[in-house]
C-alpha cells in the first residue's frame, strides 16, 4: 500500500463493528489493533497482560484518581495513555492499520490519513447478535449489551471532548442492521479506497 491509511472503528456493542474491522483489515492487508495492543504493551513494560485486561477501556474513578506532574495513580488512566502512545508511534512510523476503539478517532484526529467510522445497529439486531455469539438468553444479552455500551461511553467521554457516537466526531456513522456485516464492510471498503 503506497499511501498511509489509518482506519478507526468505534462501535456500539453487538453492532458487529469488530467483525467489520476484521474483514476490512483482512481485505486490505492491514494490521488490526484491538485488545492485542495489551499483549505488546505487557511485553514492552514487562507487565502481566491479565492485569491490563481488567482495566482496559475502563474510565476509572475520578474521585480516587490523582495526577501529579503528569503521573497518575489510576491504572485505567495509565493504560489508556500507553495505548494512545502505542497508536501514535505506529502512525508516526508510517504504518497503515485498522484500530478498534481506544478513542483512536480522537487521539489521531489531526492526521489527514485517518478514516474514522462509527458502527451502530438497531437495538433488536444487537440483542440478537449478542444472544447468538455468546449463547445467552435475551435478558442476559440485554444486560451484557447495556453494560458494555455504558462502559465504552464512559471511557470515551473521559478521554474525548466530543461525546461517544456523536456524528461530528466521525467521517461515517453506519447502521450495520441495514446491509448486514459483510456488505457493510464492503461498502466501507469502497469509501476507504476512495480516500486512499
Amino acid at each position: 500500500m503506497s499511501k498511509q491509511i489509518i482506519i478507526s472503528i468505534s462501535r456500539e456493542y453487538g453492532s458487529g463493528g469488530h467483525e467489520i474491522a476484521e474483514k476490512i483489515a483482512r481485505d486490505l492487508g492491514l494490521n488490526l489493533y484491538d485488545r492485542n495492543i495489551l499483549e505488546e504493551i505487557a511485553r514492552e513494560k514487562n507487565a502481566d497482560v491479565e492485569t491490563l485486561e481488567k482495566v482496559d477501556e475502563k474510565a476509572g474513578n475520578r474521585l480516587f484518581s490523582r495526577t501529579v506532574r503528569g503521573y497518575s495513580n489510576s491504572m485505567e488512566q495509565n493504560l489508556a495513555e500507553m495505548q494512545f502512545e502505542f497508536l501514535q508511534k505506529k502512525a508516526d512510523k508510517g504504518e497503515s492499520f485498522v484500530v478498534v476503539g481506544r478513542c483512536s478517532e480522537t487521539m489521531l484526529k489531526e492526521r489527514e490519513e485517518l478514516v474514522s467510522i462509527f458502527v451502530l445497529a438497531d437495538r433488536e439486531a444487537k440483542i440478537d447478535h449478542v444472544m447468538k455469539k455468546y449463547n445467552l438468553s435475551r435478558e442476559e444479552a440485554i444486560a451484557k449489551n447495556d453494560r458494555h455500551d455504558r462502559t465504552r461511553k464512559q471511557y470515551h467521554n473521559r478521554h474525548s471532548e466530543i461525546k461517544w457516537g456523536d456524528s461530528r466526531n466521525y467521517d461515517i456513522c453506519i447502521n450495520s442492521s441495514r446491509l448486514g456485516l459483510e456488505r457493510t464492510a464492503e461498502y466501507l471498503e469502497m469509501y476507504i479506497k476512495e480516500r486512499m
Side-chain angles (χ1 to χ4, degrees), residues 29-151:
L30 302 175
N31 286 328
L32 174 68
Y33 295 119
D34 187 13
R35 294 182 74 88
N36 58 341
I37 294 174
L38 301 179
E39 294 165 10
E40 294 203 32
I41 290 172
R43 213 173 14 258
E44 183 183 307
K45 305 287 185 188
N46 198 25
D48 178 46
V49 73
E50 287 81 21
T51 302
L52 298 181
E53 286 173 345
K54 290 177 186 172
V55 296
D56 183 36
E57 287 197 297
K58 303 276 190 307
N61 188 327
R62 286 190 174 172
L63 185 63
F64 299 112
S65 298
R66 185 169 175 197
T67 302
V68 178
R69 294 188 193 120
Y71 296 100
S72 175
N73 69 342
S74 166
M75 285 182 64
E76 295 86 356
Q77 180 67 29
N78 291 333
L79 180 58
E81 293 296 332
M82 284 188 267
Q83 291 184 76
F84 303 154
E85 185 181 306
F86 174 91
L87 294 171
Q88 287 287 359
K89 283 181 183 174
K90 293 290 183 182
D92 289 345
K93 288 180 181 174
E95 181 180 333
S96 291
F97 57 88
V98 177
V99 58
V100 179
R102 273 112 196 114
C103 296
S104 51
E105 83 291 334
T106 299
M107 297 306 132
L108 301 170
K109 70 181 176 186
E110 301 303 321
R111 296 183 172 274
E112 69 175 54
E113 60 273 11
L114 176 70
V115 176
S116 57
I117 298 165
F118 189 84
V119 181
L120 58 137
D122 294 341
R123 182 157 173 83
E124 286 304 315
K126 293 190 299 182
I127 292 166
D128 191 50
H129 183 78
V130 172
M131 284 172 63
K132 288 177 183 168
K133 186 172 182 176
Y134 298 103
N135 194 27
L136 300 174
S137 70
R138 179 176 170 76
E139 293 73 27
E140 290 169 327
I142 290 170
K144 187 174 182 71
N145 192 73
D146 291 348
R147 183 176 63 253
H148 280 278
D149 272 351
R150 186 173 47 254
T151 301

